[in-house]
Amino acid sequence: MSTQPIDGGELIPRPERTPQALRLAMARVAPHRLAEMEKAKEEAFEFAAETGKIGHIHQWVAYWAAQVEIERRPDLFLRRDRALEAVHRTTNREDPAFRPAMDELRAVDDEAARAVSE
C-alpha cells in the first residue's frame, strides 16, 4: 500500500522535534523504518548515559527529523528513491552514474535538514 498522496501534498504535518513526536510521525509515514529508528535512539541514549554528553541525542533528533521530512514529502521521497535506484544500478564507485546519484542523495538530505531546522 502506498503512503504517497495523489495530489502531491505532504502526507502529514511536520512533527515537533521530540523523540515521541518523530516516532509517531514515522509510524504513520514509514512504519517499516521504526526498528531502525528505535535502534539508533537506543544507541544515542546509551552513549549519552555512558559519557554524560547529549550530543548524540541531538544528532539523533536532527537526523530523524530530516528522515521524517523526506518520508512525509512526496517530492523529497521520490528524489531520494530515484537517486537510490541509480546508485544501486551502478557497478562500483568509478561508474559515471555513481557520483551524480550520490550528489542527489546528499542534496535531498541537505534540503530536508534545512527544512526542519527553520
Side-chain angles (χ1 to χ4, degrees), residues 19 22 35-64:
L22 293 172
E36 172 191 5
M37 181 185 213
E38 287 300 315
K39 182 176 187 268
K41 183 173 115 180
E42 288 175 19
E43 291 169 356
F45 277 79
E46 285 175 14
F47 184 79
E50 290 171 5
T51 64
K53 298 178 182 178
I54 61 170
H56 277 53
I57 295 171
H58 289 292
Q59 290 171 349
W60 180 91
V61 169
Y63 176 81
W64 286 100

Side-chain angles (χ1 to χ4, degrees), residues 2-115:
S2 174
T3 59
Q4 302 305 305
I6 294 171
D7 66 359
E10 296 170 351
L11 297 178
I12 61 171
R14 182 176 293 138
E16 294 182 20
R17 288 175 55 113
T18 66
Q20 184 63 18
L22 293 172
R23 186 186 187 296
L24 290 172
M26 189 62 80
R28 290 187 59 201
V29 296
H32 63 280
R33 296 195 64 193
L34 284 174
E36 172 191 5
M37 181 185 213
E38 287 300 315
K39 182 176 187 268
K41 183 173 115 180
E42 288 175 19
E43 291 169 356
F45 277 79
E46 285 175 14
F47 184 79
E50 290 171 5
T51 64
K53 298 178 182 178
I54 61 170
H56 277 53
I57 295 171
H58 289 292
Q59 290 171 349
W60 180 91
V61 169
Y63 176 81
W64 286 100
Q67 292 305 300
V68 167
E69 185 72 7
I70 293 167
E71 296 289 347
R72 75 180 197 89
R73 285 183 42 193
D75 61 321
L76 292 179
F77 180 88
L78 184 59
R79 285 175 56 201
R80 181 191 64 192
D81 197 44
R82 287 181 178 160
L84 283 171
E85 287 177 9
V87 167
H88 291 296
R89 283 192 306 268
T90 63
T91 55
N92 58 50
R93 292 176 184 233
E94 285 74 40
D95 187 311
F98 180 80
R99 180 53 33 210
M102 291 301 293
D103 290 345
E104 177 64 358
L105 284 173
R106 173 156 314 243
V108 169
D109 286 342
D110 290 348
E111 184 174 336
R114 277 192 311 275

